[in-house]
């Protein structure tokens, strides 16, 4: 049953107003509607891509007539001056409504995301490698949890070198970097990166010194008999929202000004970037946290008059990130791996002793592949949406 009861042309045909049976009416502009027609002359039959460009739509496009069928399921519009008749399903229109109350609070999170602390995360989303491969439903649910929580574990993976690549390929594509398609995280002498020592690593996001950053990281455990080397993850979005609540001025400083990040390899590698530690989209969506004490370069984009406060804000954010109330801790056993959304969830490890008996392999991948897999494998796909 449709929720729409009538349509009215408004603003001399420059828009329409659809009235719902219950609730507020919604408006759509003529140019928006013309641009989003779903007929085969506007969108390719095979791939659904748009065949027209905005310049093909006359500036003075208006709606001459509008007709809503009895059941309120289909809306037919006639456009002028370029004569064009287009039919829309009202379900499609409803799904793509833009005439709605905007987020009141200026900083907002994607509504699907679930932010967490040590206490609120009831259980770590976990799947075995075997069920990821054979049980489609559990696999999709697990991928969704990875997206919503920014973190998940996989157990009972093979304990063979290179398995981390197989894991990445279950849902996406490996991002090759200067560290290779995958890398060994082991204690070495003359380590090219502090990750390749037995030192503790404070909670961080990986590779903030590259733009674009890798948006997914996988760490797979092959050996873990060394003493120590426990893992910890922290929801960076939770930390950012706590900072906002406790000190809005600090939050504003870290989201307004860019920090700098840098990494110099032994040879042939020199990566530099600038990102705010807390990144917001222009309309206030919290989109990323970039945080890595080992890779912050001299910060030069904060005016002198704000630098002292900027450091106070950085210090405060760092202490929220280190708060044990936020961290979920665990120890990886051989065959276990964990995956993080590297735009959001920070990871850490405690120091460990001895060499050789702790061996992880890591690789990077990206969220676009993960999100695409979720959408295409979803059990109840919405047609045309
Ligand atoms: N490794 C493990 O972002 C970082 O520098 C963390 C990355 C070397 C690929 C370590
Ligand atoms: C890394 C890292 C954590 C660990 O390699 O990026 O953070 O547990 N390693 O060794
Ligand atoms: Zn790391």
């Amino acid at each position: 049953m449709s929720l729409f009861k009538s349509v009215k042309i408004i603003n001399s045909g420059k828009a329409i107003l659809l009235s719902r049976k219950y609730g507020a009416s919604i408006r759509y502009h003529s140019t928006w509607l013309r641009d989003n027609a779903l007929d085969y002359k506007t969108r390719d039959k095979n791939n659904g891509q748009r065949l027209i460009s905005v310049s093909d739509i006359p500036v003075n496009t208006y709606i001459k007539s509008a007709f809503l069928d009895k059941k309120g399921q289909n809306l037919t519009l006639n456009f002028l001056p370029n004569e064009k008749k287009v039919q829309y399903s009202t379900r499609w229109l409803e799904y793509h409504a833009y005439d709605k109350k905007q987020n009141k609070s200026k900083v907002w999170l994607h509504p699907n995301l679930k932010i967490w602390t040590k206490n609120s995360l009831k259980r770590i989303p976990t799947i075995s490698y075997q069920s990821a491969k054979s049980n489609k439903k559990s696999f999709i649910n697990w991928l969704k949890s990875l997206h919503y929580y920014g973190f998940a574990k996989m157990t009972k993976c093979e304990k063979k070198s290179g398995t981390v690549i197989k894991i990445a390929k279950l849902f996406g594509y490996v991002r090759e970097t200067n560290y290779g398609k995958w890398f060994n995280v082991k204690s070495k002498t003359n380590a090219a990166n502090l990750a390749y020592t037995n030192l503790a690593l404070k909670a961080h996001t990986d590779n903030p010194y590259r733009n674009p950053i890798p948006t997914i990281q996988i760490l797979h455990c092959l050996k873990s008999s060394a003493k120590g080397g426990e893992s910890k993850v922290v929801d960076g979005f939770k930390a950012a929202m706590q900072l906002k609540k406790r000190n809005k001025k600090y939050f504003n400083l870290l989201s307004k000004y860019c920090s700098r990040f840098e990494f110099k390899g032994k040879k042939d590698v020199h990566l530099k970037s600038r990102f705010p530690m807390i990144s917001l989209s222009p309309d206030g969506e919290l989109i990323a946290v970039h945080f890595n004490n080992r890779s912050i370069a001299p910060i030069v984009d904060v005016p002198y008059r704000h630098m002292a406060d900027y450091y106070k804000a950085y210090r405060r954010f760092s202490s929220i990130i280190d708060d044990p109330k936020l961290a979920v801790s665990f120890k990886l056993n051989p065959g276990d791996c964990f995956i993080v959304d590297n735009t959001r969830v920070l990871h850490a490890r405690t120091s460990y002793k001895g060499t050789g008996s702790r061996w992880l392999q890591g690789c990077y991948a990206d969220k676009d592949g993960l999100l695409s897999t979720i959408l295409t494998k979803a059990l109840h796909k919405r047609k045309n949406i």
Side-chain angles (χ1 to χ4, degrees):
M1 265 302 278
S2 169
L3 303 166
F4 292 103
K5 60 172 190 214
S6 64
V7 60
K8 205 168 117 190
I9 295 173
I10 58 172
N11 196 12
S12 316
K14 283 293 196 183
I16 56 161
L17 183 134
L18 266 176
S19 298
R20 288 183 170 107
K21 287 205 176 109
Y22 318 97
S25 325
I26 25 178
R27 295 164 296 176
Y28 299 86
H29 293 94
S30 54
T31 300
W32 186 97
L33 288 160
R34 174 64 197 91
D35 194 33
N36 288 299
L38 290 167
D39 64 290
Y40 71 93
K41 282 191 176 156
T42 306
R43 288 204 177 248
D44 187 87
K45 266 207 294 293
N46 293 312
N47 54 46
Q49 285 194 275
R50 192 184 267 93
L51 294 161
I52 63 161
S53 121
V54 70
S55 56
D56 297 319
I57 306 172
V59 183
N60 55 347
T61 290
Y62 69 98
I63 294 153
K64 180 76 181 71
S65 61
F67 173 74
L68 185 67
D69 68 6
K70 264 219 195 77
K71 291 185 172 162
Q73 284 171 347
N74 290 299
L75 174 72
T76 308
L77 300 179
N78 283 295
F79 292 89
L80 280 177
N82 283 3
E83 225 168 275
K84 175 95 186 160
K85 185 174 171 175
V86 186
Q87 200 182 74
Y88 304 82
S89 91
T90 48
R91 208 169 69 96
W92 186 93
L93 287 169
E94 170 90 70
Y95 187 78
H96 294 97
Y98 59 90
D99 184 17
K100 49 193 175 191
K101 289 234 160 48
Q102 296 304 323
N103 245 293
K104 305 135 268 145
S105 114
K106 282 193 82 178
V107 175
W108 55 281
L109 284 162
H110 188 285
N112 284 345
L113 302 185
K114 298 177 174 26
I115 57 175
W116 46 268
T117 62
K118 177 189 165 80
N119 280 340
S120 74
L121 190 75
K122 294 282 174 291
R123 60 170 275 281
I124 296 174
T126 306
I127 197 168
S128 71
Y129 183 74
Q130 191 47 42
S131 26
K133 288 197 57 133
S134 60
N135 187 332
K136 185 173 162 180
K137 194 169 166 203
S138 317
F139 183 50
I140 289 303
N141 287 335
W142 177 80
L143 291 178
K144 283 186 180 166
S145 301
L146 169 57
H147 171 37
Y148 300 160
Y149 296 95
F151 163 60
K153 256 171 137 180
M154 190 179 276
T155 57
K156 299 188 183 132
C157 307
E158 285 177 286
K159 295 169 200 168
K160 279 203 324 227
S161 175
T163 298
V164 71
I165 299 289
K166 279 200 189 168
I167 299 167
K169 286 185 177 171
L170 289 174
F171 62 84
Y173 301 91
V174 171
R175 164 107 72 106
E176 187 170 3
T177 67
N178 56 294
Y179 298 112
K181 285 195 171 62
W182 82 87
F183 41 84
N184 287 305
V185 181
K186 275 184 181 181
S187 183
K188 293 177 209 167
T189 44
N190 293 321
N193 189 298
L194 286 170
Y196 302 153
T197 67
N198 61 358
L199 296 174
L201 301 177
K202 280 172 81 87
H204 64 279
T205 57
D206 261 44
N207 292 204
Y209 40 75
R210 95 171 67 246
N211 188 355
I213 60 160
T215 49
I216 296 273
Q217 184 184 25
I218 311 176
L219 282 170
H220 170 234
C221 177
L222 291 162
K223 286 183 184 164
S224 70
S225 56
K227 207 166 170 308
E230 279 100 22
S231 309
K232 221 171 75 175
V233 287
V234 174
D235 185 350
F237 284 2
K238 178 71 192 183
M241 293 316 264
Q242 265 192 16
L243 180 67
K244 177 172 163 282
K245 204 161 131 200
R246 293 178 187 171
N247 195 320
K248 188 73 204 286
K249 184 173 123 187
Y250 288 174
F251 179 92
N252 289 343
L253 283 166
L254 297 189
S255 54
K256 175 168 177 175
Y257 294 110
C258 281
S259 176
R260 297 262 179 152
F261 300 93
E262 184 168 16
F263 178 79
K264 274 188 201 172
K266 289 203 167 133
K267 57 171 174 31
D268 300 340
V269 182
H270 190 172
L271 298 159
K272 286 159 76 131
S273 72
R274 38 180 245 125
F275 289 111
M277 290 190 202
I278 297 171
S279 299
L280 303 175
S281 68
D283 62 356
E285 183 183 10
L286 178 53
I287 46 175
V289 165
H290 304 270
F291 198 88
N292 189 321
N293 66 294
R294 286 163 282 134
S295 306
I296 292 215
I299 298 167
V300 292
D301 298 305
V302 179
Y304 180 85
R305 67 183 191 285
H306 292 313
M307 188 59 93
D309 282 342
Y310 184 89
Y311 260 91
K312 286 185 194 160
Y314 172 26
R315 192 184 291 279
R316 187 70 184 271
F317 192 36
S318 172
S319 77
I320 291 175
I321 285 169
D322 289 342
D323 181 353
K325 287 202 194 86
L326 259 60
V328 170
S329 303
F330 53 92
K331 182 156 180 169
L332 287 177
N333 293 311
D336 291 346
C337 86
F338 76 83
I339 308 179
V340 283
D341 174 343
N342 190 49
T343 65
R344 166 182 171 193
V345 171
L346 301 91
H347 58 285
R349 75 158 181 240
T350 59
S351 64
Y352 61 97
K353 281 213 184 83
T355 49
S357 42
R358 186 179 193 270
W359 180 19
L360 306 188
Q361 282 186 335
C363 82
Y364 298 120
D366 282 301
K367 275 171 72 179
D368 55 350
L370 167 70
L371 301 183
S372 161
T373 304
I374 291 173
L375 286 176
T376 54
K377 288 207 195 321
L379 298 174
H380 308 288
K381 269 203 268 173
R382 288 173 205 256
K383 254 189 120 209
N384 272 343
I385 289 178

